[in-house]
Amino acid sequence: EVQLVESGGGLVQAGGSLRLSCAASGFTFDDYAIGWFRQAPGKEREGLSCISNSDGNTYYADSVKGRFTISSDNAKNTVYLQMNSLEPEDTAVYYCASTLVYCGSSWYSVPLDAWGQGTQVTVSS
């Protein structure tokens, strides 16, 4: 019943921008936190950012602070990740995931309830 669907990935040049979307259904959106992860081939999954939909509290990993911005539109049950100043090192499959755990510094260590299918982001030099 719970479903998350990512969209917005693609191919961009270094310095460009993309806006990813995570559309949620099958649960009470305001009760959950939703976050973004990425994984490149041969690399561990990396937590990037999360947001608690109840009050808008956010967290960012150091690698994306100042470049990426997470936001939510509760009326549309959608979370966005605005990615600016993209670098080739940002190339990865990007996933969104949800949990009832409040977004904070330890959020990435807790089990996630649902995952999207991922969307590919490729940044060229």
Side-chain angles (χ1 to χ4, degrees), residues 11-22:
L11 174 65
V12 298
Q13 294 191 65
S17 298
L18 285 173
R19 189 193 194 198
L20 306 183
S21 298
C22 175

Side-chain angles (χ1 to χ4, degrees), residues 7-89:
S7 62
L11 174 65
V12 298
Q13 294 191 65
S17 298
L18 285 173
R19 189 193 194 198
L20 306 183
S21 298
C22 175
S25 63
F27 60 93
T28 303
F29 187 79
D30 292 353
D31 292 342
Y32 281 75
I34 294 179
W36 288 94
F37 300 77
R38 67 186 179 189
Q39 188 165 25
K43 303 292 185 180
E44 293 185 350
R45 182 181 294 149
E46 179 186 13
L48 304 177
S49 182
C50 60
I51 184 167
S52 289
N53 297 326
S54 59
D55 62 2
N57 187 64
T58 59
Y59 171 82
Y60 294 94
D62 290 341
S63 61
V64 302
K65 285 181 179 177
R67 298 192 299 127
F68 292 7
T69 303
I70 192 169
S71 62
S72 62
D73 186 337
N74 290 19
K76 297 180 179 180
N77 287 0
T78 301
V79 169
Y80 304 96
L81 186 68
Q82 179 67 46
M83 306 187 297
N84 299 325
S85 301
L86 286 164
E87 304 168 353
E89 292 75 20

